[in-house]
Amino acid sequence: MAIENVNVKVKINGKERCADVEPRTLLVHYIRDDLGLTGTHIGCDTSQCGACSVMVDGEVVKSCTVLAVQADGSEITTVEGLGQVDNLHPIQQSFWEKHGLQCGYCTPGVMIAAVGLLEQNPNPSDEEIREGLEGVICRCTGYQFIVEAVKHAAQLMLESEVQLVGEERSS
Amino acid sequence: MTKVVGARLKRKEDPKLITGNGYFSDDIKLPGMLHAAILRSPHAHAMIKSINVEEALKAPGVVAIYTGKDLEGKIGRVPSSWLVPGCDLKEAPQYPLAIDRVRYVGDGVALVIAEGRYAVRDAMYLIEVEYETLSPAVGQKQSMQDHAPLVHDDIEKNIAFHWKAGAVPEEVCENAEVSIQQSFYVQRVAPSPIETRAAIGHYNPGSGELTLWCTSQNPHIHRMVLSEVLSISEAKLRVIAPDMGGGFGGKIGVYPDEALVGYAARDLGRPVKWIEERNEHFTASNYGRDEVIDVELFGKKDGTLTAVRVKNTHNVGAYLSTMGPGVSTIDFGLMVTGSYKIPYASCETFGVYTNTTPTDAYRGAGKPEATYQIERAIDLFAKKIGMDPLEIRRKNFVQKEEFPFTNAQGLLYDSGDYEKPLAKALEMLDYNQFREEQKELRKQGKLIGIGFSTYVELCGFGPSKVAGAIGFQGGVWENATVRVHPSGKVTVYSGTSPHGQGHATTFGQVVAEKLGIPMDDIELVFGDTKAISMGWGTYGSRSVAVGGTAVSIATDRVIEKGKKIAAHELEVSVEELTFENGIFSVNGAPGFERTFQEIAKSANMAWNLPEGLEPSLEAQSFFDPENFVYPFGTHIAVVEVDKETGQIEIKRYIAVDDVGRVINPLTAEGQVHGGIAQGIGQALWEGAVYNEDGQLLTGTFMDYVLPKARFFPKIETAFTETLSPVNPLGAKGIGETGTTASTPAIMNAVMDALEPYGIKDIEMPLTPEKVWRAISESEGK
């Protein structure tokens, strides 16, 4: 007996989107195949590598291990929602600046994990960054420039916050 | 002008990758596209008694199912591409799907095509296969024994090849004052690109053209081999490597799977996509290493080394992979003397079939193993004679003035100065002070150790006549076209096929510096056999040394032609012109000049060209290097072993590499870091494990340890620059130095830490349990 499809509605990268999917559809396939946002990748199928990491309601989630129906009604941010080429998020800017990527396949997930880390700890030490990236695997970089990129992003984010506060004060 | 070559530029390829705009295989979606899945053998060795696809064919969305028998006579066998001569090589035929017998867990049994990613797997699990299991051959040494099960009935003792090179006179061994003997197992490891393999086939019945997107480090090799396998003209087969999530050797191979996808797309007249799952990757994608290396090192009491005798027993798996036979023979056996002036060397290699997934090149391919055995052995030798590990290295180094140097196995090392990186590394670490501290800490019961690896490796294969002589079924030259558009913007076409290395940036730097134009004006095209006539891909650290040189030469040719046009317009001779910073100017006549962009337009419009000169501004180079290149360096590891738990902590890691000309220090450091992480992975954590039934026990990232960020300290890197005379860039290779150097550096450091226990060797990977057991056992003695 065929199981009926389910309509899954999300707010993804600020936009309302929906699609009818099989109930067993993984969130990552919903995002990639049904919504066409292919920046999020699949690396291991068993939630070790974190290439599929996205933000769901502000939490970093491995989208290969969540069903799309579980995310119904949630707010999702993927790499496409971080920033565009002419308006990069500090984490994207820093990964570029510090050579935090080589093949770029794990990168979207690593950047999302890093954003999650910086939200919890805006000024992490090298060690805290290394611990904080426990959920992601990169095979290319040996992580050193990823650590530098995350540190640089933290700085950029702190600085921009300081500026924001400054503007508010002056107004 | 500012130097572009040597500048720490951020990469051109990144903006799309950091914004989610990469175009990887699984991002490809074609109208009417079907999905493929491959049913694989759960047994290491079995006869296929029957395959029942009846239920599976009834499953929703199923379009076709093919078995090995269905494809007999329709797809050819998938051959190895390195048929090493003179070693009685026996290549067992590998068909895209097993016909009546499976030979490893992961061997393809049936191909299922259906509408949809999930539907195809549902159907696959409905196929019923009746197997009659056979005893498997597992482990290379056991599989060579007399009564071992045979992987291929007509191949005696499972010996795929028996290769020998070099000779050590008996009296040299007999008369040696000192000798050591040690057996090392360089275990099986998984290259593990984070993107698994994939293939998408699209056939146009009107034109007869088959397009195959696949995860290939060498799309032209894929085209060459698959055109035979699929009986299609190379002119009608287009292979495209889209963006790729790493390779590390695992995507060199031409696998049965790509042939299957191409076949099905043509047979069904609809696009077909196959994406490998990770668990599938662990069973169906080639591994690296898996070599048992027995080494004997001979010398004098004063530390002078006189001979090295090596035997390598290489587990090649169930079939010979694309590059497999060359790894433990040519790549390994000719490099067994390392960076040392050892007068005699010999290597004997057995390639042994087993009922396991095939092994192939993995980052370094043969050189990491060669380096491992000599760097470990020299430490054991030093310990035996009570000599410092640094002193014995220096004593035996090939000296700067001896280059070009012919090693005992006949390879000509292009250039070198082995003291230079060593001296630099010692500026970064005070060795004497370390030894003092070590003494103190040992008194307190703390185990710290230092390990050196003063490696040399061979890369950038060439010339092609040598490739032919060593049985490589391809050339090793490289192809580049530099095409200047009417605007003066440039497209570069390269036969190398990067997948993370950053060629768009480094090759761009070579062109930008020569043409004096901005990096933004240069684009690199690669990975498409329809855009690039021919090329040999990216592996063996060959891209800059060979491919980059082709780009450099083609750019010179563009300038040469540009000069003719500029001279004609300025009414001077070519000799009276200088081209610098993007401007052709008449010597000694300020203002008489043409910009590169003006000449680009002139060349393309062709309104006023010199008599006899053809229009357009475009040049090609096919560069065949005269020799290999030999990067070298010193890596130092400092570790602490927790004797209570066996846990190893890397306290410091120093890498000083000499890779010839460094084009971009930023990407070069990235290559070094990544290589080191993989090499340390081999030493400490990684390892594929089969049980005695030939079952893979490490089929996911839950069981196979890929290193994570917290496993590493900050790696300290530096470069020295000894140019190679082999190519005009002076470049060597960098991609594999890290994996080559780091494994023995770490191992030597741990063994140094464990010296108080008299422990000589522990089999890799050095899991805490193994280390703890070794300590406990030695304490019990």
Side-chain angles (χ1 to χ4, degrees), chain B residues 161-443:
Chain B
F161 52 85
H162 179 197
W163 179 88
K164 287 180 192 174
V168 179
E170 232 5 90
E171 63 270 20
V172 174
C173 306
E174 279 162 18
N175 299 338
E177 292 170 7
V178 187
S179 71
I180 64 108
Q181 196 176 354
Q182 185 65 41
S183 182
F184 299 114
Y185 177 47
V186 180
Q187 82 276 26
R188 178 179 284 237
V189 283
S192 303
I194 300 302
E195 179 204 35
T196 54
R197 290 185 301 123
I200 297 104
H202 175 265
Y203 182 68
N204 183 327
S207 66
E209 190 185 62
L210 176 65
T211 304
L212 193 64
W213 289 263
C214 68
T215 46
S216 171
Q217 296 177 223
N218 27 252
H220 292 88
I221 293 182
H222 268 77
R223 180 179 67 173
M224 184 176 74
V225 174
L226 289 174
S227 74
E228 289 258 330
V229 175
L230 294 170
S231 305
I232 185 169
S233 157
E234 267 177 289
K236 295 262 189 203
L237 176 60
R238 178 183 187 184
V239 177
I240 302 172
D243 284 335
M244 265 166 59
F248 316 114
K251 293 174 181 170
I252 291 174
V254 180
Y255 292 85
D257 314 319
E258 294 116 38
L260 290 173
V261 170
Y263 177 83
R266 184 171 58 175
D267 191 46
L268 300 170
R270 287 178 68 179
V272 173
K273 176 194 266 190
W274 170 72
I275 304 292
E276 189 183 45
E277 296 199 324
R278 177 59 60 183
N279 176 246
E280 187 180 15
H281 184 83
F282 272 110
T283 63
S285 287
N286 296 336
Y287 283 89
R289 320 280 194 263
D290 206 341
E291 295 161 39
V292 177
I293 299 166
D294 298 295
V295 53
E296 294 168 279
L297 186 58
F298 304 91
K300 298 180 187 164
K301 284 181 194 147
D302 69 357
T304 308
L305 300 175
T306 53
V308 60
R309 207 156 57 176
V310 185
K311 191 174 141 191
N312 185 339
T313 314
H314 180 197
N315 186 342
V316 299
Y319 295 99
L320 295 181
S321 60
T322 301
M323 303 274 188
V327 172
S328 55
T329 54
I330 307 294
D331 283 352
F332 171 86
L334 302 182
M335 288 299 291
V336 292
T337 53
S339 54
Y340 311 109
K341 209 167 42 183
I342 305 174
Y344 297 103
S346 70
C347 178
E348 180 180 22
T349 298
F350 286 95
V352 185
Y353 285 114
T354 64
N355 290 110
T356 61
T357 303
T359 54
D360 201 333
Y362 166 51
R363 201 168 189 172
K367 288 95 70 178
E369 303 93 293
T371 304
Y372 186 76
Q373 57 86 31
I374 192 68
E375 288 299 307
R376 292 281 296 114
I378 201 168
D379 262 31
L380 293 171
F381 194 100
K383 286 249 147 83
K384 190 160 183 180
I385 59 171
M387 195 173 207
D388 184 89
L390 261 189
E391 198 186 336
I392 192 167
R393 283 174 166 79
R394 288 184 142 149
K395 191 175 179 73
N396 290 282
F397 268 163
V398 177
Q399 297 299 311
K400 186 175 152 186
E401 58 281 2
E402 291 168 324
F403 289 94
F405 174 82
T406 304
N407 81 359
Q409 296 288 57
L411 291 177
L412 186 73
Y413 293 180
D414 60 339
S415 63
D417 182 353
Y418 298 160
E419 283 286 347
K420 203 161 61 172
L422 174 57
K424 191 150 191 170
L426 292 176
E427 282 170 22
M428 295 155 81
L429 178 137
D430 187 331
Y431 184 47
N432 292 330
Q433 193 192 327
F434 172 85
R435 287 293 184 203
E436 289 304 315
E437 277 170 19
Q438 185 184 40
K439 256 187 231 161
E440 277 310 303
L441 287 168
R442 273 183 183 166
K443 278 182 207 157

Side-chain angles (χ1 to χ4, degrees), chain B residues 480-767:
Chain B
T481 297
V482 174
R483 180 171 298 165
V484 185
H485 303 288
S487 59
K489 307 276 197 258
V490 171
T491 305
V492 179
Y493 298 80
S494 171
T496 65
S497 195
H499 34 281
Q501 294 86 346
H503 296 177
T505 307
T506 45
F507 289 10
Q509 285 177 262
V510 170
V511 176
E513 169 140 331
K514 287 195 179 252
L515 296 183
I517 60 174
M519 285 290 284
D520 284 346
D521 285 4
I522 305 158
E523 295 301 324
L524 181 72
V525 175
F526 56 86
D528 181 349
T529 62
K530 205 168 182 174
I532 297 109
S533 57
M534 192 57 201
W536 297 99
T538 287
Y539 48 82
S541 302
R542 66 188 298 273
S543 289
V544 168
V546 190
T549 297
V551 168
S552 169
I553 293 171
T555 310
D556 288 340
R557 289 180 183 160
V558 160
I559 295 169
E560 216 174 294
K561 184 167 180 184
K563 271 188 173 174
K564 286 182 189 160
I565 298 167
H568 176 70
E569 287 187 6
L570 293 163
E571 298 178 342
V572 294
S573 71
V574 167
E575 292 71 35
E576 289 169 272
L577 275 186
T578 302
F579 180 65
E580 217 175 56
N581 299 339
I583 293 170
F584 299 90
S585 53
V586 179
N587 300 335
F592 285 83
E593 59 186 39
R594 290 287 185 276
T595 63
F596 177 71
Q597 290 75 13
E598 286 167 339
I599 293 304
K601 189 172 177 186
S602 297
N604 279 285
M605 298 306 150
W607 294 332
N608 176 26
L609 294 182
E611 190 68 31
L613 192 73
E614 290 182 352
S616 175
L617 192 52
E618 174 173 329
Q620 190 164 17
S621 162
F622 297 94
F623 175 70
D624 198 0
E626 68 188 42
N627 188 8
F628 304 114
V629 286
Y630 294 84
F632 56 91
T634 293
H635 285 211
I636 305 178
V638 177
V639 302
E640 178 166 357
V641 180
D642 183 334
K643 64 179 175 184
E644 306 299 333
T645 63
Q647 186 79 37
I648 294 160
E649 188 195 348
I650 307 165
K651 309 286 281 184
R652 284 186 76 180
Y653 195 95
I654 295 166
V656 183
D657 296 291
D658 194 317
V659 298
R661 173 101 59 218
V662 173
I663 291 173
N664 183 330
L666 185 65
T667 56
E669 284 167 26
Q671 285 296 311
V672 171
H673 295 161
I676 289 170
Q678 287 181 358
I680 298 179
Q682 171 126 34
L684 298 184
W685 308 293
E686 297 181 39
V689 181
Y690 285 91
N691 71 6
E692 68 266 25
D693 299 325
Q695 280 296 332
L696 179 71
L697 304 182
T698 46
T700 70
F701 286 153
M702 291 183 280
D703 315 293
Y704 185 95
V705 183
L706 271 200
K708 294 191 170 180
R710 68 177 164 80
F711 291 18
F712 300 104
K714 187 173 169 145
I715 293 162
E716 302 159 64
T717 59
F719 293 105
T720 57
E721 211 167 72
T722 305
L723 299 186
S724 171
V726 172
N727 61 68
L729 291 175
K732 296 196 170 186
I734 192 162
E736 298 162 312
T737 56
T739 39
T740 300
S742 62
T743 312
I746 289 285
M747 286 296 291
N748 283 339
V750 176
M751 294 310 132
D752 184 51
L754 296 178
E755 200 199 9
Y757 295 93
I759 296 166
K760 269 169 57 183
D761 189 49
I762 303 173
E763 198 172 273
M764 296 188 291
L766 296 183
T767 57

